[in-house]
Amino acid sequence: MRIFSGIQPTGRKHLGNYIGAIAQYISSQERGEGIFCIVDLHAITVAYEPIELRERLYDTTAILLAAGLDPARCILFRQSDVPEHTELTWLLCGVTELGRLQRMHQFRDKSIAQRELVSAGLLVYPVLMAADVLAYRAHEVPVGEDQREHVELMRDVARRFNARFGEGKEILVVPECRIPEVGARIMDLQEPARKMSTTSDSPQGTVYVLDEPRAIEKKFKSAVTDSGSEVRGGPEKEGIGNLIEILAAVRGSDRVAVEAEFADARYGEFKAAVASAVVEYLAPVRERYQALRAEESALEAILADGAERARAIASVTLADVRERMGVGAARA
Ligand code: TYM
């Protein structure tokens, strides 16, 4: 089984990224052939600073390694090092419906948020994402809930490609999305109706992977809850529901078990328990991060080796796609 996922090298990685995605990447190394890509080409579809982009790329690489991605057991690479992704994007544009791209939630949200230019890249973003996965004929895509629509689109693109050019064969694999049962959508601690995100203007509501323990404790202490007193999820209880979800995710248990354990607890006591579980959960990553981040040349060597191995796979798919589409000289 081949597993592929991508992560943007923007901003600081947060608890939502970790629980929804990174934790799944680590465990997928046990289940199959993991291919993980730091998607710098996706990051240039909104306003950004070139120098920052490189810095954040190393930060993200070091976080993934610190979290437990092992280059001996998976492929870890930078998207822009493998030109097959951009070539396949263009080829797949021919089997992607324009109206569908215009209706994607992320395009609508991000184009409203852009103060200056709404780039064509923002519209084509999901096709690049389809190319990322389809180039490897991956079977599974571990992501958080917010990426479900993108995975649906890539499935349709693969199906349409196969129907148009496959002559009855599955040239491109139609991937499945793998969304965790607990922690698929971690919400902002200050605004629990919004998902935790890098672009939010609520740093107090966002727990970063590299936050110091004291900062984490403070953020949970001031997390917005509600006027009730029961540790239980449900309507009007988004704040507490989110904390229950976080605790269940970091413990690897479920919401029902957390609610039962804290049935008699007060909010303050419960928040402290969530904070200490999260501190413990992230501590090993933070401890390993600094040493890894300091060695940029070692990070480059890992990415270069990953890109070489990725390219060996993607180039085979591209040769098939070009052949099927009648692009370039026929194969001998
Ligand atoms: P990105 O970089 O925004 O997020 C990386 C991963 O983190 C998950 N995530 C969350 N999960 C739970 N709760 C949250 N609050 C939360 N916020 C983010 C995301 O679902 C994602 O899995 N378009 C993608 C990157 C990408 C990709 C791909 C993913 C590019 N090509 C191919 C899979 C396959 C993105 O922007 O993720």
Side-chain angles (χ1 to χ4, degrees):
M1 154 128 77
R2 191 172 279 161
I3 300 160
F4 183 100
S5 200
I7 185 164
Q8 295 209 51
T10 39
R12 290 189 277 161
K13 295 301 136 202
H14 53 75
L15 188 61
N17 296 131
Y18 202 91
I19 292 176
I22 299 173
Q24 295 202 81
Y25 306 168
I26 309 306
S27 61
S28 68
Q29 296 179 114
E30 310 295 328
R31 295 188 302 109
E33 182 189 1
I35 306 179
F36 303 101
C37 179
I38 305 176
V39 295
D40 53 349
L41 298 176
H42 277 109
I44 64 172
T45 57
V46 291
Y48 77 101
E49 285 305 322
I51 293 176
E52 275 260 307
L53 179 62
R54 286 220 174 87
E55 293 296 317
R56 298 293 90 82
L57 191 126
Y58 291 135
D59 296 351
T60 307
T61 310
I63 285 192
L64 293 177
L65 294 169
L69 279 192
D70 174 1
R73 288 192 301 157
C74 72
I75 297 179
L76 173 62
F77 72 106
R78 170 171 46 207
Q79 188 182 36
S80 60
D81 286 343
V82 180
E84 280 76 5
H85 291 234
T86 42
E87 182 179 354
L88 186 56
T89 301
W90 180 251
L91 297 172
L92 293 178
C93 274
V95 286
T96 307
E97 186 199 336
L98 174 62
R100 178 90 183 267
L101 294 178
Q102 288 165 329
R103 290 191 299 274
M104 299 294 281
H105 285 110
Q106 181 179 290
F107 175 67
R108 292 210 313 244
D109 296 348
K110 288 201 178 172
S111 51
I112 292 167
Q114 277 307 293
R115 297 222 172 83
E116 293 164 24
L117 176 79
V118 176
S119 72
L122 204 52
L123 180 71
V124 182
Y125 181 115
V127 191
L128 176 57
M129 196 167 149
D132 291 342
V133 175
L134 302 180
Y136 298 91
R137 295 180 160 128
H139 305 101
E140 214 180 81
V141 187
V143 282
E145 176 63 43
D146 62 340
Q147 299 298 318
R148 186 188 290 275
E149 194 183 26
H150 285 147
V151 178
E152 277 306 317
L153 179 102
M154 67 179 73
R155 289 168 56 83
D156 287 352
V157 167
R159 284 196 205 101
R160 188 168 299 125
F161 181 92
N162 290 338
R164 170 70 183 85
F165 300 109
E167 290 166 17
K169 288 208 195 111
E170 196 184 53
I171 304 298
L172 296 177
V173 171
V174 181
E176 300 287 337
C177 100
R178 186 178 169 103
I179 295 178
E181 266 177 39
V182 182
R185 191 175 173 81
I186 300 297
M187 310 308 275
D188 188 287
L189 300 187
Q190 289 297 321
E191 294 177 63
R194 280 178 41 172
K195 72 168 182 184
M196 191 175 281
S197 102
T198 330
T199 47
S200 124
D201 4 290
S202 128
Q204 278 311 310
T206 312
V207 176
Y208 297 104
V209 173
L210 300 175
D211 270 346
E212 298 282 333
R214 217 175 290 158
I216 297 179
E217 281 156 10
K218 206 166 146 217
K219 288 177 185 180
F220 278 103
K221 201 167 178 189
S222 62
V224 166
T225 50
D226 52 70
S227 56
S229 60
E230 262 182 291
V231 176
R232 204 165 34 81
E236 316 277 308
K237 307 265 294 175
E238 288 94 352
I240 279 290
N242 187 38
L243 299 182
I244 294 173
E245 183 94 10
I246 291 173
L247 186 55
V250 304
R251 280 189 178 171
S253 79
D254 59 43
R255 289 177 281 262
V256 177
V258 170
E259 287 177 354
E261 182 180 339
F262 290 90
D264 301 320
R266 290 175 187 280
Y267 280 178
E269 193 186 325
F270 175 58
K271 283 176 168 184
V274 182
S276 83
V278 170
V279 165
E280 202 181 313
Y281 181 70
L282 295 176
V285 187
R286 199 167 55 90
E287 279 157 20
R288 287 192 285 256
Y289 174 82
Q290 290 307 341
L292 289 159
R293 178 62 182 89
E295 298 289 336
E296 285 184 5
S297 55
L299 297 176
E300 275 299 346
I302 290 170
L303 293 172
D305 174 64
E308 196 179 323
R309 289 190 288 147
R311 211 166 173 196
I313 302 171
S315 60
V316 174
T317 311
L318 260 293
D320 289 348
V321 168
R322 289 168 63 103
E323 173 76 6
R324 293 277 167 173
M325 292 182 82
V327 169
R331 271 194 290 204

